[in-house]
């Protein structure tokens, strides 16, 4: 058989594998958040999910999109950022609705059970994006406040990027900040586990999903010769995942101390 006789089969297979890898790259990052979203809707409890995760991923992916205008990288990575932004906004919307609903329920129950005004537990005052109070930043009462914040950040950083788009130093720094921010997403979880000397309340399955997803993503970066910032920070993200898995092994086989707090199931990297 001639060397080129199998090209009719190999070329379509290579193309299929390429499409599959690109699809996994675009949608793989949001897969871990699907069970989290469904769980919050089912239980009407968002305590196990930190909305700061949404903040970090929104910032990281907005910066990555702006980086694309200065240095064009593979389109699947661009679409991944767009899909992730949409996913994080949906998570924010659900968490805000659930939190506000629970606060109102607590208020109604306290009024019904209270014998005097001194025993009433009032719901926290509504907070707005325009309050400019750092103590309540990212703890607002309406989803529209989060949208306004995201649009403001996008507008300001977009304008700065437009002014400095011709500076290669600025563009490369922007790309590094984008992927480094996302790479640091697991560090607070790592530190929290260290402080508690326990991983109770953290989903092991989700950690394995992070690790496999981050490993695939890093290999994709390297094989497709993505900007070096992507590969370096991808490796850093894998190392953080491995460190968390080591904590799981260490604290389950060699308990350090009893956990004194009430642990909430968490199926995502939490801040």
């Amino acid at each position: 058989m001639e060397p080129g006789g199998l090209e009719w089969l190999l070329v379509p297979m290579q193309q299929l594998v390429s499409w599959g890898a690109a699809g996994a790259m675009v949608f793989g990052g949001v897969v871990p958040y699907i069970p989290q979203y469904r769980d919050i809707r089912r239980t009407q409890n968002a305590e196990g999910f930190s909305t700061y995760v949404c903040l970090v991923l929104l910032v990281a992916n907005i910066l990555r999109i702006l980086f694309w205008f200065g240095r064009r990288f593979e389109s699947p990575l661009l679409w991944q950022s767009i899909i992730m932004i949409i996913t994080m906004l949906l998570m924010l919307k659900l968490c805000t609705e659930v939190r506000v609903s629970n606060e109102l329920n607590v208020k109604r129950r306290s009024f019904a059970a209270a014998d005097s005004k001194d025993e009433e537990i009032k719901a926290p005052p509504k907070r707005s994006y325009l309050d400019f109070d750092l103590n309540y930043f990212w703890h607002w009462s309406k989803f529209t406040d989060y949208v306004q914040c995201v649009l403001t950040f996008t507008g300001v950083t977009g304008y700065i990027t437009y002014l400095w788009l011709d500076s290669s130093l600025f563009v490369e720094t922007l790309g590094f900040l984008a992927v480094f921010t996302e790479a640091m997403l697991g560090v607070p979880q790592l530190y929290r586990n260290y402080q508690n000397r326990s991983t109770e309340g953290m989903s092991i399955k989700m950690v394995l999903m992070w690790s496999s997803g981050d490993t695939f993503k890093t290999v994709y970066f390297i094989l497709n010769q993505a900007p070096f910032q992507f590969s370096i920070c991808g490796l850093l993200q894998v190392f953080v995942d491995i460190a968390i898995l080591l904590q799981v092994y260490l604290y389950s086989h060699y308990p350090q101390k009893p956990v004194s707090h009430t642990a909430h199931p968490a199926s995502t990297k939490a801040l």
Side-chain angles (χ1 to χ4, degrees), residues 53-263:
V53 172
C54 300
L55 173 61
V56 172
L57 288 175
L58 284 169
V59 170
N61 286 281
I62 289 170
L63 293 180
R64 186 194 288 187
I65 291 174
L66 295 176
F67 177 53
W68 181 84
F69 287 98
R71 183 175 177 185
R72 302 297 172 91
F73 47 80
E74 290 237 332
S75 57
L77 301 180
L78 177 64
W79 281 106
Q80 181 198 42
S81 292
I82 296 173
I83 297 298
M84 182 61 76
I85 289 174
I86 295 173
T87 302
M88 290 301 103
L89 289 176
L90 291 174
M91 290 294 299
L92 276 175
K93 186 175 186 298
L94 177 63
C95 290
T96 304
E97 291 174 351
V98 168
R99 184 177 69 247
V100 172
S101 175
N102 289 340
E103 288 173 355
L104 292 175
N105 289 335
V106 168
K107 182 178 179 180
R108 283 197 294 268
R109 287 198 299 270
S110 65
F111 283 163
D115 295 326
S116 66
K117 290 184 178 180
D118 292 336
E119 295 177 358
E120 293 177 356
I121 304 174
K122 295 184 178 181
K126 291 185 177 181
R127 298 293 173 179
S128 168
Y129 167 60
L130 298 177
D131 285 344
F132 298 107
D133 188 340
L134 292 179
N135 293 324
Y136 295 96
F137 176 77
W138 211 251
H139 292 287
W140 303 311
S141 304
K142 294 182 179 180
F143 173 65
T144 53
D145 292 315
Y146 293 96
V147 175
Q148 291 175 21
C149 180
V150 171
L151 291 177
T152 301
F153 175 79
T154 303
V156 172
T157 52
Y159 180 68
I160 295 174
T161 302
Y162 174 76
L163 294 178
W164 290 87
L165 201 58
D166 294 332
S167 170
S168 59
L169 177 61
F170 173 83
V171 171
E172 296 298 332
T173 302
L174 183 66
F176 176 78
L177 289 175
V179 291
F180 182 76
T181 302
E182 185 175 355
M184 290 293 99
L185 190 59
V187 172
Q189 180 72 62
L190 184 72
Y191 181 67
R192 189 177 70 175
N193 294 342
Y194 172 76
Q195 281 187 314
N196 297 335
R197 298 295 194 275
S198 171
T199 56
E200 184 177 349
M202 186 184 68
S203 171
I204 309 302
K205 291 181 180 179
M206 292 306 299
V207 178
L208 294 173
M209 290 180 69
W210 303 338
S211 303
S212 58
D214 293 339
T215 301
F216 171 82
K217 182 171 60 178
T218 303
V219 172
Y220 183 91
F221 291 157
I222 295 174
L223 294 180
N224 288 273
Q225 298 180 341
F228 74 96
Q229 297 99 325
F230 287 72
S231 300
I232 292 175
C233 292
L235 289 171
L236 179 60
Q237 202 165 1
V238 171
F239 290 147
V240 172
D241 293 338
I242 292 174
I244 294 176
L245 288 174
L246 289 175
Q247 285 182 325
V248 172
Y249 173 81
L250 177 65
Y251 297 145
S252 61
H253 288 76
Y254 308 99
Q256 305 295 301
K257 66 176 182 179
V259 180
S260 59
H261 64 282
T262 303

Side-chain angles (χ1 to χ4, degrees), residues 24-37:
M25 195 66 215
V26 172
F27 297 102
V30 305
V31 169
Y33 299 96
I34 295 176
Q36 179 72 75
Y37 184 91

